[in-house]
Amino acid sequence: MRKKIAAGNWKMNKTPKEAAALAEMLKPKMANDKAEVIFCVPYVDLMPVIDTVKGSNILVGAENLYFEDKGAYTGEISAPMLKEMGVNCVIIGHSERREYFNETDETVNKKIFKALEYGLMPIFCCGESLAEREDNITIERIRIQIKRGMKGLSAEQAKQVVIAYEPIWAIGTGKVATSEQAQEVCKAIRDVLAEIYGSETADEISILYGGSVNGGNAEELFKMPDIDGGLVGGASLKEDFEKIVKAF
Ligand code: PEP
């Protein structure tokens, strides 16, 4: 049975003290026996947030990692570093990283392998631009991202990956995909996974939708058959995240 997940992406918004305060405020509102709840936070916020949520159901994720174990990579953070801190998962290939930090399908693939090697659950992001949607190449674009991002993963490894479909035009814009649009692409993702790994494996992989999810639209999105939850930016920094976590 695939997991239901409500994951927050805090992006670059909170100092360590502010992050601990936000985690403290949200913690009592996150209880949930239907879905996993994850806070993905900046590297420097990991320790205070891990300390704050200790003993609760909340898992903590990073927003990136580097694909080498160690070495002369000034400014980078490795999977073993995250693992030792008690981090559970990591966002990989977010569109903001692809756009501003030259992340490619190939680096995404290496990072997914590295996360899995250290037992960190990768939340692998894919999504089309507005121009690609208008050119009617959304599905083709997503299929390529999935194939390249997951290249070489065994079925066992693929089952450990969570995929987040995030149309770039819906991220941080307030423009949410309709539940039908989101379902269409999440279904296409499951279809390509079934082509690669067989439908039994594809059925076990959690696929999230991300892009302006909030307390008002989460339920509608999460009831679609191929949407197993959400990756949430802006609304994960507010009390509204409680409504999203309870929308399953
Ligand atoms: C995100 O950053 O992954 C995201 C979906 O942001 P928002 O919910 O703010 O659109």
Side-chain angles (χ1 to χ4, degrees):
M1 254 279 279
R2 56 190 191 243
K3 291 179 281 199
K4 303 280 183 193
I5 296 173
N9 174 12
W10 292 9
K11 309 197 187 190
M12 196 182 73
N13 284 303
K14 300 287 172 191
T15 67
K17 273 190 198 153
E18 290 168 346
L22 177 60
E24 191 67 54
M25 185 274 280
L26 290 174
K27 188 164 82 163
K29 306 173 194 295
M30 299 290 106
N32 195 317
D33 52 13
K34 294 204 186 101
E36 279 187 358
V37 179
I38 307 172
F39 295 167
C40 296
V41 307
Y43 293 132
V44 295
D45 297 349
L46 286 167
M47 218 56 252
V49 171
I50 288 170
D51 285 343
T52 305
V53 304
K54 220 165 248 165
S56 77
N57 59 313
I58 301 161
L59 302 176
V60 179
E63 298 176 9
N64 183 31
L65 52 63
Y66 193 56
F67 52 73
E68 296 291 351
D69 283 345
K70 65 191 297 190
Y73 305 104
T74 304
E76 293 296 323
I77 302 286
S78 72
M81 292 173 184
L82 297 175
K83 191 66 192 173
E84 190 178 298
M85 292 174 81
V87 170
N88 307 104
C89 59
V90 56
I91 297 175
I92 294 178
H94 191 280
S95 61
E96 287 152 15
R97 294 215 56 85
R98 293 178 189 255
E99 184 177 351
Y100 307 130
F101 304 100
N102 305 319
E103 199 85 72
T104 64
D105 291 334
E106 288 66 39
T107 57
V108 165
N109 178 253
K110 288 184 188 179
K111 290 181 178 193
I112 291 175
F113 268 102
K114 191 51 72 177
L116 291 172
E117 185 184 331
Y118 283 90
L120 298 164
M121 181 179 84
I123 303 177
F124 161 35
C125 301
C126 61
E128 82 286 4
S129 65
L130 185 57
E132 288 165 340
R133 177 157 284 269
E134 287 173 349
D135 283 349
N136 286 318
I137 55 167
T138 297
I139 302 292
E140 193 184 321
R141 185 75 198 98
I142 300 294
R143 286 176 60 88
I144 291 170
Q145 287 178 355
I146 296 292
K147 284 185 182 172
R148 290 185 181 157
M150 298 186 68
K151 192 173 171 190
L153 292 184
S154 68
E156 270 324 297
Q157 288 172 313
K159 283 186 209 167
Q160 314 304 316
V161 177
V162 170
I163 296 176
Y165 164 57
E166 299 209 306
I168 297 166
W169 49 271
I171 297 179
T173 58
K175 241 193 252 173
V176 65
T178 64
S179 45
E180 289 76 21
Q181 284 174 321
Q183 163 61 23
E184 183 195 15
V185 182
C186 290
K187 163 87 167 60
I189 292 172
R190 206 173 302 285
D191 288 346
V192 69
L193 293 170
E195 285 167 30
I196 304 169
Y197 298 108
S199 57
E200 224 170 274
T201 299
D203 277 344
E204 284 191 44
I205 298 176
S206 299
I207 303 176
L208 314 182
Y209 166 78
S212 299
V213 176
N214 61 41
N217 59 31
E219 198 176 331
E220 185 70 26
L221 288 158
F222 296 174
K223 69 182 181 207
M224 302 311 277
D226 288 290
I227 300 179
D228 303 308
L231 178 57
V232 183
S236 72
L237 297 164
K238 305 181 204 150
E239 272 185 62
D240 201 27
F241 195 52
E242 179 177 11
K243 288 202 198 109
I244 297 169
V245 163
K246 306 266 156 80
F248 292 91

